Amino acid sequence: AHDADWWKSAVIYQVYPRSFADSNGDGIGDLPGVLAHLDYLHTLGVDAIWLSPIYASPQDDNGYDISDYRAIDPAFGTLDDVDELIAQAHARGIKIVMDLVVNHTSDEHAWFRESAGGRESARRDWYIWRPPRPGFEGGTPGAEPNNWSSFFSGSAWQWDAASGEYYLHLFSRKQPDLNWENPEVRTAIFEMMTWWLDRGVDGFRMDVINLISKVPGLPDGVVAPGAVYGDGTPFCINGPRLHEFLQEMHARVFAGRVGQLVTVGEMPGVTVEDARLFTDPARNELNMVFQFEHVDLDHGAHKFDPLPLDLRALKGSLGRWQEGLHETGWNSLYWNNHDQPRAVSRFGDDGAYWSQSARALGAVLHLMRGTPYIYQGEELGMTNVPFASIDEVRDIESLNFFADAVGNRGESAEVVLAGIRHSGRDNARTPMQWSAAPHGGFTTGQPWIEANPNADRINAESQVGRAGSVFEFYRALVRMRHDDPVVGYGDIRMLALEHPALVAYSRALGDARLLVVANFGVEPIDPAGVDELDPSWARATLVLSNYPAAEFGEPLRPWEVRVFREP
Ligand code: TEU
Ligand code: CA
């Protein structure tokens, strides 16, 4: 049934403002730059824009280290620019979703400055301070209160000699974790959220929101062979009070606004079972979550240790999430974001079949059940970047990893750089490619990170309005979700899960049905040879494809996707 939730037939576009469009030539994207491209997004047809953080920040982690939640970083603009963007977006029927980063703040936030002022500080308990491990002298190796490693390499604890204690930072040492056990912290966060909602924003993407509840006692994690630090994730992911905190947030911030808002929680390590609880509307927690199962299949112990990906593992993961949230809850659907490498390079073929595979990936994602997210440039088929050296890399996660692997553990710089080229976050953060002008038309100045050398070939100007382009294909996908209830609300059934190169599924709503078949390889696939592809589809209508029209029974060409609909 078509329930009232607008976000179930919506497509959400993620803007990473730093790399989207620079309006004043300082080489950093900004809010006027976003404003100047609203019509581009309106043409694409998206229903909402998720803005990565634009708040005041020292930019240690590109804005995911916030020093003032109610101020805009001057690099991006002013609060007036935000008000103008909200008004202009709303005038086009586009909602604005803010990035909420409340597991941690910047160490330059006034709250942390005060907390670090001394053990007697009124805000000492707003963060997570602990004395050195008993028997150890503070600041010496092994004296950290537990053995957790940071997601950004090294220990998760920073020694503060002035107050004689350590503070916890699951990410960079300039990102101290807030203490959500403290009701004053929760109240301050909820008040800030309400302030933004009253300003007109339409929802939140919540950064690592499943880390806000930690297991009391913060116990040591298992130390993997050869590792220096332990794995704290069993004690900081999906902790004991997470559902309670989210339900409190819902009651104190969202209640009374539920029909208009969209909330999506970013949850590294979340399982389908957990997600069913987080997204069950009856539990008043979140609308959807960003899970990581399908983007953690192509690497070993850590993300910079690439492994070949078996399509069946990818299909199995997508199928499990489709099945798990089919009756209760709701899926987010994504290939890309500012933390992931570019999908056409990672899951597709950014060489001979660049355009076909970019479009096949788009169709497979967008026609599943759930809310699709388009990350800036994905609609153009933007690819990974051939970084020539570590000097071209900007991301703190990659740089810390390189320094630790090469500097501390003596690994080969070339091997580590290859891993960063394969999986590094900067692949998603090079300038949006608007045209063949210098730096992809992103800036008239020197960009904070070099544009992809292929910006002269892959850019919006050469694709908007051109039939057969990746952009026009994504535009058609967005339109299908808006126009065809089977896409937004139909049941889904994954097909041929054991086939090594074919992705196939059907959708159904009432007597209408849809079939998506995609060849994720270069060897032809004969539909007659696939048991689960019922021959009755031969009478359906081909409604979308990335090749000249073909009959259902014809072999699928390299990276060919076909979408059939009946009636
Ligand atoms: O990401 C958290 C997170 O899970 C990623 O850092 C991921 O672990 C890593 O990139 C490996 O895939 C969120 C933000 O999206 C990210 O940009 C921030 O760096 C991080 O939180 C800290 O705020
Ligand atoms: Ca700028």
Side-chain angles (χ1 to χ4, degrees):
H2 312 192
D3 29 17
D5 302 314
W6 61 270
W7 37 268
K8 288 192 168 180
S9 59
V11 177
I12 300 180
Y13 188 95
Q14 181 190 358
V15 168
Y16 191 70
R18 188 179 190 84
S19 306
F20 189 69
D22 170 23
S23 71
N24 60 357
D26 67 356
I28 300 172
D30 45 53
L31 288 169
V34 181
L35 207 60
H37 291 86
L38 271 185
D39 286 333
Y40 168 82
L41 298 177
H42 192 219
T43 301
L44 181 56
V46 297
D47 304 276
I49 296 168
W50 151 28
L51 274 179
S52 273
I54 53 175
Y55 319 95
S57 163
Q59 302 295 330
D60 188 58
D61 184 18
N62 288 0
Y64 282 89
D65 49 316
I66 295 168
S67 55
D68 186 341
Y69 288 105
R70 301 187 195 199
I72 303 304
D73 194 87
F76 296 128
T78 64
L79 275 171
D80 287 345
D81 291 326
V82 176
D83 292 342
E84 176 68 4
L85 178 59
I86 293 169
Q88 291 293 337
H90 285 175
R92 292 167 176 78
I94 298 174
K95 295 176 185 282
I96 296 290
V97 174
M98 297 293 267
D99 206 319
L100 185 77
V101 187
V102 291
N103 171 69
H104 47 270
T105 69
S106 166
D107 65 343
E108 297 182 26
H109 195 292
W111 296 344
F112 185 76
R113 283 278 162 79
E114 196 179 325
S115 180
R119 297 190 196 186
E120 309 317 316
S121 156
R123 290 200 205 279
R124 189 66 173 183
D125 191 35
W126 280 50
Y127 293 84
I128 299 172
W129 295 93
R130 294 291 185 279
R133 193 185 289 265
F136 286 78
E137 185 194 339
T140 63
E144 296 87 1
N146 71 23
N147 67 5
W148 296 0
S149 66
S150 154
F151 282 102
F152 292 165
S153 304
S155 167
W157 296 91
Q158 173 61 32
W159 174 240
D160 173 51
S163 66
E165 289 188 317
Y166 287 86
Y167 65 83
L168 178 69
H169 61 86
L170 296 180
F171 292 93
S172 91
R173 62 177 54 132
K174 285 183 69 64
Q175 292 171 294
D177 280 53
L178 280 164
N179 173 18
W180 272 73
E181 303 292 328
N182 185 332
E184 293 172 3
V185 168
R186 301 200 298 274
T187 296
I189 297 293
F190 298 157
E191 285 174 352
M192 174 272 289
M193 293 175 72
T194 298
W195 185 84
W196 277 107
L197 293 176
D198 290 346
R199 206 168 188 105
V201 305
D202 304 287
F204 296 103
R205 174 267 184 184
M206 302 182 192
D207 190 62
V208 289
I209 198 66
N210 65 327
L211 302 184
I212 61 176
S213 168
K214 278 86 170 166
V215 170
L218 308 176
D220 275 338
V222 171
V223 182
V228 174
Y229 298 103
D231 172 16
T233 58
F235 309 110
C236 65
I237 285 187
N238 301 342
R241 298 184 66 185
L242 180 56
H243 290 292
E244 174 200 336
F245 291 159
L246 290 175
Q247 289 173 15
E248 181 185 350
M249 177 190 286
H250 192 281
R252 296 177 60 180
V253 181
F254 304 143
R257 308 171 190 256
V258 173
Q260 62 184 285
L261 298 186
V262 64
T263 57
V264 50
E266 186 212 21
M267 297 198 172
V270 69
T271 63
V272 180
E273 292 68 35
D274 300 328
R276 210 181 357 255
L277 299 179
F278 291 120
T279 63
D280 175 355
R283 293 171 53 90
N284 290 334
E285 295 183 15
L286 300 171
N287 297 141
M288 53 192 124
V289 300
F290 285 135
Q291 54 97 8
F292 284 67
E293 200 179 272
H294 63 307
V295 293
D296 278 342
L297 297 170
D298 59 351
H299 62 69
H302 56 73
K303 66 183 285 184
F304 299 112
D305 169 21
L307 288 178
L309 174 63
D310 180 335
L311 180 68
R312 282 165 293 202
L314 179 62
K315 294 195 291 183
S317 173
L318 295 172
R320 258 195 311 284
W321 281 84
Q322 286 294 315
E323 175 68 32
L325 301 185
H326 200 285
E327 299 315 318
T328 305
W330 192 251
N331 271 297
S332 70
L333 305 170
Y334 75 93
W335 292 131
N336 288 285
N337 59 41
H338 64 294
D339 293 333
Q340 299 296 331
R342 291 282 182 179
V344 69
S345 299
R346 178 185 204 173
F347 299 117
D349 173 337
D350 60 9
Y353 297 98
W354 161 74
S355 176
Q356 285 86 352
S357 66
R359 287 180 282 166
L361 283 162
V364 161
L365 188 81
H366 278 253
L367 299 178
M368 279 194 287
R369 180 178 168 88
T371 299
Y373 289 74
I374 300 174
Y375 177 66
Q376 68 182 45
E378 174 184 345
E379 77 278 11
L380 302 175
M382 278 177 64
T383 68
N384 277 358
V385 182
F387 294 110
S389 86
I390 194 66
D391 301 335
E392 294 179 7
V393 169
R394 296 287 178 276
D395 174 21
I396 186 169
E397 179 187 47
S398 297
L399 292 172
N400 283 6
F401 181 82
F402 186 91
D404 187 37
V406 176
N408 297 343
R409 290 185 273 117
E411 292 188 22
S412 138
E414 204 31 56
V415 169
V416 174
L417 184 62
I420 289 170
R421 272 195 217 99
H422 184 273
S423 318
R425 305 194 298 182
D426 285 319
N427 280 304
R429 301 176 179 190
T430 59
M432 176 71 174
Q433 295 169 195
W434 295 108
S435 73
H439 314 302
F442 161 75
T443 179
T444 55
Q446 189 53 38
W448 67 277
I449 184 171
E450 284 305 319
N452 194 315
N454 64 23
D456 59 337
R457 283 184 296 107
I458 298 176
N459 57 64
E461 193 168 71
S462 65
Q463 293 192 32
V464 176
R466 188 170 62 76
S469 68
V470 182
F471 178 89
E472 290 301 327
F473 195 83
Y474 264 76
R475 191 172 170 190
L477 289 169
V478 174
R479 200 179 303 123
M480 273 184 80
R481 181 163 290 269
H482 290 161
D483 298 348
D484 187 348
V486 182
V487 177
Y489 302 95
D491 290 344
I492 185 167
R493 188 165 151 253
M494 304 301 287
L495 304 168
L497 282 172
E498 283 317 302
H499 194 289
L502 174 72
V503 177
Y505 57 82
S506 62
R507 305 290 308 275
L509 184 74
D511 61 4
R513 60 179 192 153
L514 205 70
L515 174 73
V516 178
V517 286
N519 182 352
F520 269 42
V522 295
E523 296 306 316
I525 296 177
D526 178 359
V530 183
D531 296 348
E532 288 187 273
L533 293 186
D534 187 307
S536 68
W537 282 105
R539 62 172 191 256
T541 308
L542 181 70
V543 293
L544 192 64
S545 169
N546 58 355
Y547 271 86
E551 297 298 320
F552 166 76
E554 290 177 50
L556 287 163
R557 290 159 281 191
W559 290 97
E560 179 169 9
V561 62
R562 294 179 194 150
V563 183
F564 294 94
R565 192 182 194 287
E566 197 178 37

